[in-house]
Amino acid sequence: MSHYNFADVEAKWQDIWAEDKSFEVEVDRNKPKYYVLEMFPYPSGRIHMGHVRNYTLGDVIARYKNAKGFNVLHPMGWDAFGLPAENAAIDNNVHPAKWTRENVKAMRSQLSKLGLSLDWSREIATCEPNYYKHEQKMFLDFLKADLAYRKESWVNWDPVENTVLANEQVIDGKGWRSGAPVEKRRLSQWFLKITDYADELLQGIETLERWPDKVRIMQRNWINRSEGARVFFEIVGRDDRLEVFTTRPDTLFGASFCAVSANHPLAEELSKDNADLQDFIAECNRLGTSEEAIEKAEKLGYDTGLKVKHPFIEGHELPVYVANFVLMEYGTGAVFACPGHDQRDLDFARKYDLPVIPVVLPKDADADSFVIEDEAYTGEGSIFNSDFLNGLGVDEAKSAAIAKLKELGAGEGTITYRLRDWGVSRQRYWGCPIPIIHCENCGDVPVPDDQLPVELPEDVSFDKPGNPLDHHPTWKHVDCPKCGKAAQRETDTFDTFFESSWYFARFCDANNADAAFDRDKADYWLPVDQYIGGIEHAVLHLLYSRFFTRALKKCGYLSAEEPFAGLFTQGMICHETYQDENGKWLFPADVVKDGDKATHTDTGAPVMVGRSIKMSKSKKNVVDPEDIVQTYGADTARLFMLSDSPPDRDLEWTEAGVEGAWRYVNRLWRMITEPNGPVAPAGAEKPELSKDEDAILRLVHKTIDGISQDLEKFHFNRAVARIREFTNALGDVKGDSDGSAWIRRIGFETLVQILAPMVPHLAEELWHQLDHETKLTDQPWPEADKSLIVDDMVTIGVQVNGKLRATIELPRDIDKQEAEKVALAEENVIRALDGKEPRKVIVVPNRIVNVVA
Ligand code: ANZ
Ligand code: ZN
């Protein structure tokens, strides 16, 4: 029995595809376009299984759409700026550029062994000046368009990485990568005005029908539009008022105190001659600025001694606290608190012994006995204890309260977003320099176009903490482009999310030296038809890219509004975990399994088997794609990836699973290269077929139809199952009649064609073995003959008021509405109804349609 020689075959076809430039594309207005993109990798040095899954999914789509006649753009590049390169520089004394470029080289070679249908002529690396040059120009255009600005602000400071973090990068009050508790600092930072687009970004979500619901929900929550009110509280003894933002003006009668942020102007003013308050403010500032950090921390406050007047209750005064749970960047940086109906306020009130007055009565509760214990009541109900609002529902009471505030000049209705402007300054070396020069005379001066790019200096040292650009002896010292006086470059670089916010557009015209991309080309290719990546990017990267697309549109770069028309988020790859007797993690490669028993490969010592979790280096439950490709070939790895579970679910990697895929690959190889009977020549005339052969022919067309639908819907595992069934049926074709020879030819060719998106090398080679001179890659997708798939028709009766009036032929399992439509269109049924409207139509699938009139 011959084994399939994957190594030779895969290398052979990879070379041929590259030589023929099979996947290089240009704008072609005579063809429909299709843009497939997987989230581009960070060049860490080696690809992992997550990459393999991601790119295999994209490749199936790209190859399928290509066969379907689309002009398919499927590019690849490197998200090449970022911290690991700097850490490598610090740890191993290698320059970040060198480290990154070497990693790119290694990973490109690994990727090329997977047989992906990529247009490598468009490869980009975001750390190269020919990429970031355009990004600097873009930033200056944003500045002109009033979409970027600089301001002093409180930032999240990561004391380990020595840099600012976006709120999104603070998780549980800790830096997302360092894990160090985040501090607050005041710095001058560049911001992009993403908040200008808050409403558009929110409304745009509605048009993203081919996005997973969970991602749409996450984006909606992130932007978080809230309708509410500003309420003005007069400050007792001052000619001033405190403005608060609330989403619950209906609860105003339950107000028991007001609170301002530690960074509120009022707090700052009062702290000037109050050391205790200064200490308290400093303590608050040690907490990050993220909402999560604040949510988790104990609620603390400082009584300022100031009082404000309640807008509705004559003579009623409320104390004003500085509180650690109030954010300066949200609303007005001040709140009124209603402990009965807000948990934070309740926690605070219990701690400082402030009144708790319930004003919303749950549906079945009794007004006299209803009390708030440890839990605030945040549900619906009717308002009580609230004068003119009594008896109203929550929504009605909101409107009534706002109307009254307006009448009194004590407030107004407003809309607020949780989304905040995107701070893009980072105090790091390995990023795109911000093209600004600070001049004492002229302020912030943009670097003139003809001086772009502002390139990173190569000669930097990482032996001091902080930003190497700042330490560099000469780099930052330049003359002001405006007045010529000595000035200083901005030494911050962009957040690396800047690069990934427009790379999909660069791919449309990746080698353009003069501009980011040609507008016509971007307009032809964009939006990306199918984007594929991990759920971890559901908020940041996707939201920033959506904002960038709009900002680029505003600046005349392109016409698209949304960058990604379709999004698919793949599941993770999991593997069992192994530990030795001392609890040390072991690589799967160091473990031999025999049923439930596991032992160490070298020592034979017993090994504990733990449950299957996401592959991660820290638990060592990783399998190196390169080993798998070496042992079984890329096609087997791809096939296993696709066959074992739906692509949006987690996939459990097992040796047995891979071996199953490997056996199937070999079976395909033998079935076609050593057929069990004659195979008719390509293009042979169809002979008379036996009943069995005719059934196979029908199966051919049903399979084509089914696979096409599976692929359109990302049901790749179903597609593989269907192909396996089809393979079994073809294996059963026996004899040497003309009919059997012909059906083998048709069957094998179809099998190879529908396998091509998944196992492209094997399919290409088998196509060749089936005596074709042209490449399978250039072959159109097979067409299903509809007349041959309707064997699954059923004949069902149509009754009108209990009497059989007609029989109709319908595809099996057709949906009820379709069946109803066909039944009601039957002439005999129309006649039997005699102009009456049917009152009820009952469809029993595949059996009968009952019309009651
Ligand atoms: C009074 C009140 C009563 C509130 C009540 C809630 C329940 P969302 O829905 O997330 O937008 N708030 C306003 N500004 C704040 C700030 N800068 N920092 C911290 N909290 C702030 O949240 C809006 C609610 O969060 C507002 O409505 C306000 O508390 C609080 F029974 O006002 B509410
Ligand atoms: Zn100047």
Side-chain angles (χ1 to χ4, degrees), residues 120-139:
W120 282 105
S121 74
R122 294 171 189 257
E123 180 182 1
I124 56 179
T126 59
C127 64
E128 302 300 342
N130 65 10
Y131 183 84
Y132 69 68
K133 166 182 173 178
H134 307 294
E135 158 167 324
Q136 292 177 336
K137 174 83 169 73
M138 241 169 232
F139 174 74

Side-chain angles (χ1 to χ4, degrees), residues 438-443 445 479-487:
H438 301 295
C439 168
E440 275 184 20
N441 276 350
C442 318
V445 183
D479 293 338
C480 169
K482 254 197 191 153
C483 71
K485 274 201 167 167

Side-chain angles (χ1 to χ4, degrees), residues 771-829:
D771 301 324
H772 288 286
E773 291 299 320
T774 51
K775 284 196 300 293
L776 179 55
T777 301
D778 303 328
Q779 204 63 26
W781 191 248
E783 282 287 330
D785 181 341
K786 293 278 181 214
S787 70
L788 292 172
I789 34 184
V790 291
D791 74 341
D792 251 356
M793 296 296 267
V794 283
T795 307
I796 67 175
V798 184
Q799 292 189 343
V800 179
N801 293 333
K803 261 209 178 123
L804 187 70
R805 294 295 183 179
T807 56
I808 52 177
E809 286 260 299
L810 289 174
R812 187 178 295 281
D813 298 329
I814 191 174
D815 70 49
K816 288 187 179 182
Q817 276 167 2
E818 269 312 298
E820 177 177 333
K821 223 162 67 197
V822 176
L824 293 177
E826 272 295 301
E827 230 175 276
N828 283 339
V829 174

Side-chain angles (χ1 to χ4, degrees), residues 446-512:
V447 173
D449 278 3
D450 61 2
Q451 290 172 30
L452 295 181
V454 177
E455 286 198 41
L456 287 171
E458 291 264 336
D459 54 331
V460 283
S461 74
F462 292 91
D463 32 12
K464 275 191 263 180
N467 181 356
L469 290 180
D470 208 31
H471 301 153
H472 193 278
T474 55
W475 185 78
K476 70 177 171 186
H477 302 288
V478 285
D479 293 338
C480 169
K482 254 197 191 153
C483 71
K485 274 201 167 167
Q488 287 204 348
R489 283 193 193 287
E490 168 74 63
T491 58
D492 285 353
T493 53
F494 287 129
D495 180 359
T496 57
F497 277 111
F498 208 109
E499 284 83 58
S500 53
S501 295
W502 70 282
Y503 79 108
F504 47 87
R506 177 68 178 170
F507 276 137
C508 300
D509 192 13
N511 297 303
N512 193 330

